[in-house]
Amino acid sequence: MTLISKDIQKAATLLKGGKLVAIPTETVYGLAANIYDQEAVKTIFELKQRPLFNPLIVHIHSFEQLADLVEEVPEKAKALTEKFWPGPLSLILKKKSSVPNLITAGKDTVAIRMPKHPLLLELLQELPFPLAAPSANPFNAISPTNAQRVKAYFEGQLEMVLEGGSSDRGIESTIVGFEAEEAIVYRLGSLSVETLEKVVGKVRLANQAKNSPQAPGMLSKHYSPSTPMILVKEVKQAIVQHKSKKIAILGFQNKIEGIDEQHQQTLSSSGNLEEAAAKLYEALHKLDDLAVDIIIAERLPEQGLGNSINDRLERASASS
Ligand code: TXA
Ligand code: MG
């Protein structure tokens, strides 16, 4: 039985004993272990069926911990941490040799973030080590934004999920690295490019080459429901094209008349992109549970978090 509990002491004890615990964050739930415990970290990869070439994000609670992990913090990185930590931003920095190679998949850089979730920060303060935590879903599946979804994925294989409610950002952290004073976005996420650029000026979007091992979160297929899904600008047109099938709809603001209400999820009736991001994964989970033939998802406006949401919807609907 996988326990869902708010007991921070219990979570700390399990983690100190080399076990995995699923943790709440403001983005999505993570599957966490002590970064220095090789066996525990290996178990993360096994449970998720994640390839070993895909590095993990390290979660910290203080700038002292940051100093233990990295060789240097470039000027722009410093500005970003001051503005956005704790928060949904992961930075790729040059690692110290003490950071285990298993975490970084042999790279000389490490991804680090200071999450903004009160329960998780409390837990991190209880621990004498940082936590490595990928999203708490099997490789390529939809990320979980609540404890129940994590339990459903790993029932019996995981002792505990720390109950922290629904993740309020709802999509993964934005990942930023640095090259010759330039900030590079490796993964779109909960902090929009526009918001980053207010602090560091123009950023470069990493080459979105398919299956780039640089950031496997950018694999062309990822975050996927098991139901086939398409992403379109015109939902009504797509419905006509697929009228012989059992259809479910993921819409931005409006429901479609003539389609069963139970088969529709709307991300934000007021058109608020933050709300849409927060609801995205749970809406996908619910539509996937319906066992329809196809999910038709509506493309969001291409600005701010709309770009991050479209990125996830594109990967979720990629054929392979
Ligand atoms: O919001 C989040 O970031 C969540 C929560 C749990 O914190 N975590 C998360 O982890 O999304 P995961 O493992 O699902 O995605 C981590 C991404 C992967 O795409 C990985 O390739 C990239 O971070 N990454 C990690 N270390 C890297 C490095 N040194 N260089 C480039 N990419 C890196
Ligand atoms: Mg993930």
Side-chain angles (χ1 to χ4, degrees):
M1 268 291 279
T2 301
L3 174 73
I4 296 181
S5 157
K6 292 184 178 155
D7 189 343
I8 289 178
Q9 289 309 326
K10 186 175 171 70
T13 305
L14 286 168
L15 289 162
K16 286 177 192 167
K19 300 282 195 217
L20 307 192
V21 171
I23 52 168
T25 89
E26 79 279 33
T27 59
V28 300
Y29 274 66
L31 194 57
N34 173 0
I35 64 162
Y36 299 114
D37 185 327
Q38 176 146 335
E39 287 310 310
V41 174
K42 268 194 199 149
T43 311
I44 294 182
F45 285 94
E46 284 164 16
L47 260 193
K48 271 189 69 104
Q49 295 177 299
R50 178 184 177 111
L52 285 168
F53 65 74
N54 193 345
L56 305 178
I57 295 175
V58 173
H59 296 67
I60 59 172
H61 67 83
S62 71
F63 285 93
E64 287 73 41
Q65 283 186 312
L66 177 65
D68 292 341
L69 298 167
V70 305
E71 289 287 350
E72 61 199 2
V73 182
E75 216 43 54
K76 285 186 177 173
K78 195 154 173 285
L80 289 172
T81 61
E82 279 164 10
K83 183 81 183 171
F84 299 116
W85 277 9
L89 171 70
S90 296
L91 298 180
I92 310 281
L93 299 169
K94 198 159 172 4
K95 84 179 190 77
K96 281 194 170 153
S97 58
S98 55
V99 178
N101 289 323
L102 189 56
I103 300 289
T104 63
K107 289 171 178 292
D108 59 3
T109 53
V110 58
I112 303 188
R113 86 178 189 98
M114 193 184 288
K116 187 174 186 170
H117 189 291
L119 222 59
L120 174 56
L121 284 171
E122 233 182 281
L123 173 63
L124 286 167
Q125 280 155 18
E126 287 289 319
L127 299 169
F129 46 77
L131 292 174
S135 52
N137 51 276
F139 190 59
N140 280 351
I142 307 169
S143 305
T145 51
N146 58 59
Q148 289 69 31
R149 293 288 177 191
V150 180
K151 181 176 159 88
Y153 275 144
F154 299 110
E155 180 58 76
Q157 299 174 280
L158 176 69
E159 267 183 65
M160 177 178 176
V161 185
L162 183 62
E163 169 65 278
S166 292
S167 301
D168 47 50
R169 297 295 197 131
I171 53 180
E172 290 83 351
S173 61
T174 301
I175 301 181
V176 179
F178 306 89
E179 242 171 60
E181 298 299 301
E182 190 182 23
I184 303 161
V185 174
Y186 287 102
R187 179 176 73 182
L188 298 175
S190 277
L191 270 188
S192 70
V193 167
E194 291 88 330
T195 308
L196 288 172
E197 288 186 333
K198 281 186 192 144
V199 177
V200 290
K202 207 78 192 130
V203 301
R204 173 153 64 92
L205 297 190
N207 155 23
Q208 306 249 337
K210 282 191 180 159
N211 300 346
S212 153
Q214 233 171 7
M218 302 185 106
L219 287 174
S220 55
K221 185 172 179 62
H222 212 83
Y223 316 104
S224 302
S226 41
T227 311
M229 181 169 135
I230 57 170
L231 176 60
V232 301
K233 276 213 169 99
E234 296 297 336
V235 174
K236 284 186 182 156
Q237 223 170 305
I239 292 172
V240 175
Q241 280 162 7
H242 294 274
K243 62 173 183 284
S244 61
K245 297 181 183 155
K246 257 191 270 168
I247 291 173
I249 294 168
L250 180 66
F252 177 33
Q253 291 189 255
N254 302 310
K255 292 233 156 100
I256 304 284
E257 259 177 74
I259 300 277
D260 184 352
E261 285 251 343
Q262 307 293 321
H263 284 196
Q264 301 196 52
Q265 292 284 330
T266 306
L267 294 178
S268 172
S269 54
S270 66
N272 179 309
L273 293 169
E274 280 74 29
E275 182 186 9
K279 289 192 176 160
L280 176 68
Y281 288 140
E282 187 54 25
L284 267 178
H285 274 294
K286 288 198 171 117
L287 296 177
D288 204 18
D289 288 347
L290 296 171
V292 293
D293 299 324
I294 189 166
I295 298 171
I296 299 173
E298 181 179 8
R299 191 176 280 279
L300 269 69
E302 285 162 9
Q303 61 183 56
L305 288 184
N307 288 322
S308 305
I309 297 167
N310 286 337
D311 171 86
R312 298 304 190 271
L313 290 173
E314 271 162 21
R315 292 173 209 284
S317 57
S319 49
S320 69

